[in-house]
Amino acid sequence: MKLFYIVLALILASLNLRPPITSISPLMSTIQNDLGLSGMTASLLTTLPVLCMGIFAPFSVRLSRRWGNEGAIVLALILIGIGTGLRLFVGATPLMMFTSFLSGVGIALAGPLLSSFIKQYFPNRVAAMVGIYSTAMVMGASISVGLSVPLQHTLGGSWRGSLATWALLAAIALPIWLKLAWSARTERQSGQTSAVVHAPLPVKNRRAWVLTLFFGLMAAIFYSLTAWLAPAIQSHGYSQETAGNIQTLFTLISLPSTLFIPMLVHRYQKRVFWLVGCAMLELIGVLMLNLSVSPWLVAIPLGIGAGGLFPIALMLPIDETNNAQEASSWSAMTQSGGYILGALGPLAIGWLRDLTGSFVQAFYGLAIIIVLQIIVQLAIGNKKSLKVSQEQS
């Protein structure tokens, strides 16, 4: 029963990590018109939480030392819930930006903590648990993208109510995590579990920097697609609802690769094959969209490629470390630097869209980022690094 409870907690927390960001995309045009936002300013609604995920990820290590992974995740869920719920009361741009900031801080803390949580409870099942973790994130993204417009219609055209609805996910997860945090605290106080040991950020480790660069390029592509795929489809003459449905298809198609590719990488140990293969599918999808191929078909390679790369990026720091503390430090560093770099993606797309008046040039720029990603993937190679503890000390 305890194992089931821990897996359930992991799934419920993971479901919260994308809706505050992904629910905005199908409603982006409406939000822009209502608040009078330019393309670049609107892109901040996605860029800001991603940037927060980079800046605040290292603080997760300190919180974990003080409260344990479980208690720190409780705080992260509270921040996500408040940030998302406040969107119901948005009347002007500053408050909307603040909600993105607050939810971004919560997501920033939760990401490395959940990686450490997996290493702590499932040291011999990392690939499977990362698959479940990332699949739950994609499911949260898929549900929020697919239901944002229908919820808006159901709530009398209120995009604010539609966005705020996703705070319910945090409200559902919190009781589970509060119980888990209390149980873990009791065990630590009674000496049943060892005290949390500090592991420094691996800033002197070249391998960690390579993984950070990969994570950043992967994130830049992923969040550019999250923010601008639906508006780009609308620019081809499709309705807001159709564009939202295609973006939902994009996330749904990514589910199988999100779940199974980490397991395949773990089994066959050919990481370059899976990394470059997924990146090539992303490149094909972006070029298809620019060549006016049906966006329903474009969603297929984009979904498979992005769905496969994200869990591999999450798995690499866990897989190359020796314990939960090192996994937390490596994940904090790769996600911190990676998300800061990744935040530039949606911002650049919005800027190029404003500059050229078209998504075509912007998405060719995205294709260049994918090519750079492939070069970094080749540097990662198939072999894992050795003696992580010695190198980072």
Side-chain angles (χ1 to χ4, degrees):
M1 178 60 71
K2 184 177 180 181
L3 179 62
F4 171 79
Y5 195 87
I6 292 172
V7 174
L8 176 63
L10 176 65
I11 292 172
L12 291 177
S14 302
L15 286 171
N16 280 273
L17 301 189
R18 290 299 171 263
I21 302 172
T22 54
S23 60
I24 289 175
S25 182
L27 303 173
M28 184 71 87
S29 298
T30 304
I31 296 170
Q32 280 187 261
N33 293 333
D34 198 357
L35 297 180
L37 306 178
S38 67
M40 190 171 180
T41 303
S43 70
L44 287 173
L45 296 177
T46 299
T47 300
L48 185 59
V50 178
L51 189 60
C52 288
M53 288 156 65
I55 294 172
F56 292 97
F59 290 94
S60 64
V61 178
R62 292 186 180 182
L63 291 173
S64 178
R65 289 176 61 194
R66 183 171 181 179
W67 296 332
N69 288 327
E70 301 84 358
I73 289 171
V74 168
L75 174 61
L77 289 172
I78 290 172
L79 292 174
I80 293 170
I82 293 174
T84 308
L86 280 175
R87 288 175 171 173
L88 182 62
F89 308 102
V90 168
T93 302
L95 181 55
M96 186 63 187
M97 293 298 175
F98 178 71
T99 67
S100 291
F101 168 80
L102 205 58
S103 58
V105 173
I107 296 169
L109 299 177
L113 290 168
L114 287 173
S115 295
S116 178
F117 181 81
I118 290 172
K119 190 75 171 183
Q120 176 185 350
Y121 286 97
F122 306 99
N124 299 318
R125 301 179 184 175
V126 168
M129 290 302 109
V130 168
I132 292 174
Y133 165 30
S134 52
T135 299
M137 276 197 287
V138 174
M139 286 181 64
S142 177
I143 294 168
S144 64
V145 169
L147 294 183
S148 286
V149 174
L151 277 172
Q152 180 190 18
H153 294 331
T154 301
L155 297 172
S158 172
W159 59 264
R160 296 169 179 84
S162 176
L163 294 179
T165 299
W166 305 108
L168 293 174
L169 292 176
I172 294 169
L174 267 172
I176 304 292
W177 277 95
L178 283 168
K179 182 177 179 181
L180 193 60
W182 180 260
S183 176
R185 182 174 180 270
T186 302
E187 289 180 0
R188 282 194 298 272
Q189 289 180 340
S190 64
Q192 296 180 40
T193 58
S194 58
V196 177
V197 179
H198 174 56
L201 294 179
V203 292
K204 296 181 180 179
N205 190 302
R206 292 182 182 179
R207 183 72 166 177
W209 283 107
V210 173
L211 298 187
T212 299
L213 181 56
F214 163 59
F215 198 103
L217 294 170
M218 179 278 304
I221 298 161
F222 178 83
Y223 288 108
S224 294
L225 292 173
T226 297
W228 292 112
L229 180 60
I233 291 170
Q234 285 181 256
S235 72
H236 285 269
Y238 293 84
S239 69
Q240 180 188 47
E241 193 158 2
T242 300
N245 289 336
I246 294 172
Q247 186 144 15
T248 302
L249 177 64
F250 160 69
T251 53
L252 285 174
I253 287 173
S254 69
L255 281 171
S257 54
T258 299
L259 180 60
F260 293 114
I261 284 182
M263 302 179 193
L264 293 171
V265 172
H266 177 73
R267 177 169 183 147
Y268 295 107
Q269 300 294 309
K270 297 293 184 182
R271 296 195 294 199
V272 169
F273 171 81
W274 299 105
L275 286 166
V276 175
C278 289
M280 288 300 298
L281 287 172
E282 285 185 324
L283 183 60
I284 290 169
V286 168
L287 295 178
M288 285 172 63
L289 185 63
N290 272 359
L291 294 173
S292 299
V293 176
S294 169
W296 292 100
L297 295 177
V298 168
I300 297 173
L302 286 180
I304 297 172
L309 286 177
F310 188 73
I312 298 176
L314 291 175
M315 186 173 69
L316 288 175
I318 305 174
D319 209 25
E320 298 210 6
T321 50
N322 301 314
N323 53 55
Q325 290 72 43
E326 286 181 358
S328 177
S329 295
W330 275 58
S331 296
M333 177 172 163
T334 57
Q335 292 185 33
S336 176
Y339 280 130
I340 289 173
L341 179 59
L344 301 177
L347 194 63
I349 297 297
W351 175 73
L352 283 172
R353 169 65 179 83
D354 288 343
L355 183 67
T356 65
S358 170
F359 280 104
V360 174
Q361 289 85 349
F363 273 62
Y364 276 128
L366 197 59
I368 293 173
I369 296 175
I370 296 172
V371 172
L372 294 175
Q373 178 187 231
I374 292 173
I375 295 172
V376 176
Q377 289 168 342
L378 293 173
I380 291 174
N382 289 320
K383 294 183 180 180
K384 303 175 185 178
S385 62
L386 300 174
K387 299 181 180 179
V388 170
S389 297
Q390 291 85 340
E391 289 182 7
Q392 72 179 30
S393 59

